[in-house]
Amino acid sequence: MMDFFYSLLKVLLSLAIVVVLILLVVPYLHPLLTKLSLKGKSGNVKVLSIVPLMRGAFLVELEVKGVYMLILVSERGADVVYKDLSP
């Protein structure tokens, strides 16, 4: 019986350490993602901002070849919400 509680205590302590480490890393991760710039053969893709909506869903502002796009990214996939068609 004592082994069970000792194992449970080790698991809870490990979980607490992981949660604290995640909370320390997340504030530094968001600015890195917003400054992300991908350069491919066809042109530039710039991530302007990422807005979390709910668990597993984000709004992502992109600039692709000078065209502004708003994309909803969720667990199901990605959908274009708005695309600026003006020249």
Side-chain angles (χ1 to χ4, degrees):
M1 190 69 163
M2 190 66 167
D3 289 336
F4 172 74
F5 289 116
Y6 181 69
S7 298
L8 183 64
L9 181 64
K10 286 189 342 184
V11 168
L12 291 176
L13 183 62
S14 300
L15 181 63
I17 290 171
V18 168
V19 168
V20 167
L21 287 176
I22 288 173
L23 291 175
L24 289 174
V25 169
V26 167
Y28 299 106
L29 188 63
H30 188 277
L32 280 174
L33 291 175
T34 56
K35 293 180 181 178
L36 179 67
S37 177
L38 303 174
K39 297 184 180 189
K41 295 178 184 175
S42 61
N44 290 335
V45 176
K46 287 186 180 178
V47 178
L48 301 176
S49 69
I50 301 170
V51 179
L53 295 177
M54 63 177 76
R55 185 177 180 205
F58 300 92
L59 276 178
V60 180
E61 286 182 283
L62 295 174
E63 186 179 334
V64 181
K65 293 184 182 179
V67 176
Y68 174 79
M69 299 174 78
L70 186 63
I71 297 177
L72 174 66
V73 179
S74 66
E75 295 171 352
R76 294 182 183 165
D79 297 313
V80 177
V81 177
Y82 174 77
K83 183 176 181 180
D84 186 16
L85 299 176
S86 62

